[in-house]
Coordinates of all heavy atoms in Angstrom, one line a residue:
A193 N 116.9 72.6 95.1 CA 115.5 72.7 95.6 C 114.8 73.8 94.9 O 115.4 74.8 94.4 CB 115.5 73.0 97.1
T194 N 113.5 73.6 94.7 CA 112.6 74.6 94.0 C 112.4 75.7 95.0 O 111.9 75.5 96.1 CB 111.3 74.0 93.6 OG1 111.5 72.8 92.7 CG2 110.4 75.0 92.9
P195 N 112.7 77.0 94.6 CA 112.5 78.1 95.5 C 111.0 78.2 95.9 O 110.1 77.9 95.1 CB 112.9 79.3 94.7 CG 113.8 78.7 93.6 CD 113.3 77.4 93.3
A196 N 110.8 78.6 97.1 CA 109.4 78.8 97.6 C 108.7 79.9 96.8 O 109.3 80.9 96.4 CB 109.4 79.2 99.1
W197 N 107.4 79.7 96.5 CA 106.7 80.7 95.8 C 105.3 80.8 96.4 O 104.6 79.8 96.7 CB 106.5 80.2 94.3 CG 105.8 81.3 93.5 CD1 104.5 81.4 93.2 CD2 106.4 82.5 92.9 NE1 104.3 82.6 92.5 CE2 105.4 83.3 92.3 CE3 107.7 83.0 93.0 CZ2 105.7 84.4 91.7 CZ3 108.0 84.2 92.4 CH2 107.0 84.9 91.7
P198 N 104.9 82.0 96.8 CA 105.7 83.3 96.6 C 106.8 83.3 97.7 O 106.7 82.7 98.7 CB 104.6 84.4 96.9 CG 103.6 83.7 97.8 CD 103.6 82.3 97.4
P199 N 107.8 84.1 97.5 CA 108.9 84.2 98.4 C 108.4 84.8 99.7 O 107.4 85.5 99.8 CB 109.9 85.2 97.7 CG 109.5 85.2 96.3 CD 108.1 84.9 96.2
A200 N 109.1 84.5 100.8 CA 108.8 85.0 102.1 C 108.8 86.5 102.2 O 108.1 87.2 103.0 CB 109.7 84.5 103.2
S201 N 109.5 87.2 101.3 CA 109.6 88.6 101.3 C 108.5 89.3 100.4 O 108.5 90.5 100.3 CB 111.0 89.1 100.7 OG 111.1 88.6 99.4
T202 N 107.6 88.5 100.0 CA 106.5 89.1 99.1 C 105.7 90.1 100.0 O 105.2 89.8 101.0 CB 105.5 87.9 98.7 OG1 106.3 87.0 97.9 CG2 104.4 88.5 97.9
P203 N 105.4 91.3 99.4 CA 104.7 92.3 100.1 C 103.3 91.8 100.3 O 102.7 91.0 99.5 CB 104.7 93.5 99.1 CG 105.9 93.3 98.3 CD 106.0 91.8 98.2
R204 N 102.6 92.3 101.4 CA 101.2 91.9 101.7 C 100.4 93.2 101.9 O 100.8 94.1 102.6 CB 101.3 91.1 103.0 CG 100.0 90.4 103.3 CD 100.2 89.3 104.4 NE 99.0 88.6 104.6 CZ 98.0 89.1 105.5 NH1 98.2 90.2 106.2 NH2 96.9 88.4 105.7
L205 N 99.2 93.2 101.3 CA 98.5 94.5 101.3 C 97.0 94.2 101.5 O 96.4 93.3 100.9 CB 98.7 95.2 99.9 CG 98.1 96.6 99.7 CD1 98.8 97.6 100.7 CD2 98.3 97.0 98.3
F206 N 96.3 95.1 102.3 CA 94.9 95.0 102.4 C 94.2 95.8 101.3 O 94.6 97.0 100.9 CB 94.4 95.7 103.7 CG 93.0 95.8 103.9 CD1 92.1 94.8 103.9 CD2 92.5 97.2 103.9 CE1 90.7 95.0 104.0 CE2 91.1 97.4 104.1 CZ 90.2 96.3 104.1
M207 N 93.2 95.2 100.7 CA 92.4 95.9 99.6 C 90.9 95.9 100.1 O 90.3 94.9 100.4 CB 92.5 95.2 98.3 CG 93.8 95.1 97.7 SD 94.4 96.7 97.1 CE 93.2 97.0 95.7
D208 N 90.3 97.1 100.2 CA 88.9 97.2 100.7 C 88.0 97.0 99.5 O 87.1 97.9 99.3 CB 88.8 98.5 101.4 CG 87.4 98.6 102.2 OD1 86.8 97.5 102.3 OD2 87.0 99.7 102.6
S209 N 88.1 95.9 98.8 CA 87.2 95.6 97.7 C 87.3 94.1 97.5 O 88.3 93.5 97.8 CB 87.6 96.3 96.4 OG 88.9 96.0 96.0
P210 N 86.2 93.5 97.1 CA 86.2 92.0 96.9 C 87.2 91.5 96.0 O 87.4 92.1 94.9 CB 84.7 91.7 96.4 CG 83.9 92.9 96.8 CD 84.9 94.1 96.8
L211 N 87.9 90.4 96.3 CA 89.0 89.8 95.4 C 88.5 88.5 94.9 O 87.7 87.8 95.6 CB 90.2 89.6 96.2 CG 90.9 90.9 96.8 CD1 92.1 90.6 97.7 CD2 91.3 91.9 95.7
A212 N 88.9 88.2 93.7 CA 88.4 86.9 93.0 C 89.4 86.6 92.0 O 90.2 87.5 91.5 CB 87.0 87.1 92.5
P213 N 89.5 85.3 91.5 CA 90.4 85.0 90.4 C 90.2 85.9 89.2 O 89.1 86.2 88.8 CB 90.0 83.5 90.1 CG 89.5 83.0 91.4 CD 88.7 84.2 92.0
M214 N 91.3 86.3 88.6 CA 91.4 87.1 87.4 C 90.9 88.6 87.6 O 90.9 89.4 86.6 CB 90.6 86.5 86.3 CG 91.1 85.1 85.9 SD 92.8 84.9 85.7 CE 93.1 85.9 84.2
A215 N 90.6 89.0 88.8 CA 90.3 90.3 89.1 C 91.5 91.2 88.9 O 92.6 90.6 89.0 CB 89.7 90.5 90.5
T216 N 91.3 92.5 88.6 CA 92.5 93.3 88.4 C 92.4 94.6 89.3 O 92.2 95.7 88.7 CB 92.6 93.7 86.9 OG1 91.4 94.3 86.5 CG2 93.0 92.5 86.0
P217 N 92.5 94.5 90.5 CA 92.5 95.7 91.4 C 93.7 96.6 91.1 O 94.7 96.2 90.7 CB 92.5 95.1 92.8 CG 93.2 93.8 92.7 CD 92.8 93.3 91.3
V218 N 93.4 97.9 91.4 CA 94.5 98.9 91.2 C 94.8 99.5 92.6 O 94.0 99.8 93.4 CB 93.9 100.0 90.3 CG1 95.0 101.1 90.2 CG2 93.5 99.5 88.9
V219 N 96.2 99.5 92.8 CA 96.7 100.1 94.0 C 97.2 101.5 93.8 O 98.0 101.7 92.8 CB 97.9 99.2 94.5 CG1 98.5 99.8 95.8 CG2 97.5 97.8 94.7
E220 N 96.7 102.4 94.6 CA 97.0 103.8 94.4 C 97.5 104.4 95.7 O 97.5 103.8 96.7 CB 95.8 104.6 93.8 CG 95.4 104.1 92.4 CD 94.1 104.8 91.9 OE1 93.1 104.9 92.7 OE2 94.1 105.3 90.8
G221 N 97.8 105.7 95.7 CA 98.1 106.4 96.9 C 99.4 106.0 97.6 O 100.3 105.6 96.9
A222 N 99.4 106.1 98.9 CA 100.6 105.8 99.7 C 101.1 104.4 99.5 O 102.3 104.1 99.4 CB 100.3 106.1 101.2

């Protein structure tokens, strides 16, 4: 079977800035 993508263990994060295809947000801090 083809593994699920993304995996169930994929981290999930809130970004307080608009997201869109090909955007490159930067994660900093904690």
